[in-house]
Amino acid sequence: MNPTRPELRRELQARRAALSPGERLAAADAVARRLAERPELRAPGYVGGYWAVGGELPLHSVQLRLAPGQVWCLPLLQPDKSLRFAPWRPGDPLVNNRYGIPEPEVAPSSTLDPAELVLALVPLLGFDRAGHRLGMGGGYYDRSFAFRRERTGPPWLVGVAYACQEAPALAAEAWDVDLDALATEREWLAFGR
């Protein structure tokens, strides 16, 4: 019997939580190297990342390896449950959102629409080999990048995860936005979108 989405989320959270701090840091460095090797991800422009929480793969090593002309951005939750992005460098002011996740402290007028990014590194709880992702269930990324169901990138949507987050085939919902590619500490998967 296949697990329900809530059951699968709990199982995948447990897998992620079982990783040691050393395993997490080694995986983060391996993913950063893997992303830096991809010439198609090196275009100048805004790169959307995220502040890792709850065992998500940290992206500090990715931020340190940005290509010339790339600007690191973090997401900001919006009242309509979508995301906007803002440039951020270490030392810039942060404020916690309603979930306790740090966001850049900026004026709303200086935020970017997701369509302005060249690349978005997407957190996830689970992925399958068809490019489907299972998030935390809030739908923020699916709402924010819904325009990608109608057209190709940019921005390129690249999931980042630990290899242990792979799941059997995930049933896609009508609102899901699939990934263009995925990087783990073990491999790079391109989905040909």
Side-chain angles (χ1 to χ4, degrees), residues 16 23-24 27-29 31-32 35 50-60 62 123-124 160-163 165 183-185:
R16 196 166 69 181
E23 289 172 313
R24 291 172 199 273
D29 195 52
V31 166
L35 293 171
Y50 59 84
W51 192 279
V53 295
E56 292 171 333
L57 191 131
L59 296 179
H60 60 281
V62 174
L124 51 85
V160 289
Y162 303 102
Q165 292 176 260
T184 74
E185 71 275 22

Side-chain angles (χ1 to χ4, degrees), residues 83-145:
L83 301 171
R84 290 188 62 85
F85 290 81
W88 183 81
R89 291 183 315 247
D92 286 352
L94 293 163
V95 61
N96 286 348
N97 66 25
R98 66 177 164 257
Y99 299 112
I101 301 169
E103 296 180 340
E105 189 173 29
V106 296
S109 60
S110 63
T111 63
L112 303 165
D113 185 88
E116 295 178 78
L117 303 174
V118 294
L119 169 65
L121 301 175
V122 182
L124 51 85
L125 260 180
F127 67 91
D128 70 13
R129 295 202 164 251
H132 303 113
R133 72 179 272 279
L134 182 66
M136 290 297 291
Y140 288 94
Y141 281 85
D142 290 322
R143 268 188 292 285
S144 302
F145 292 99

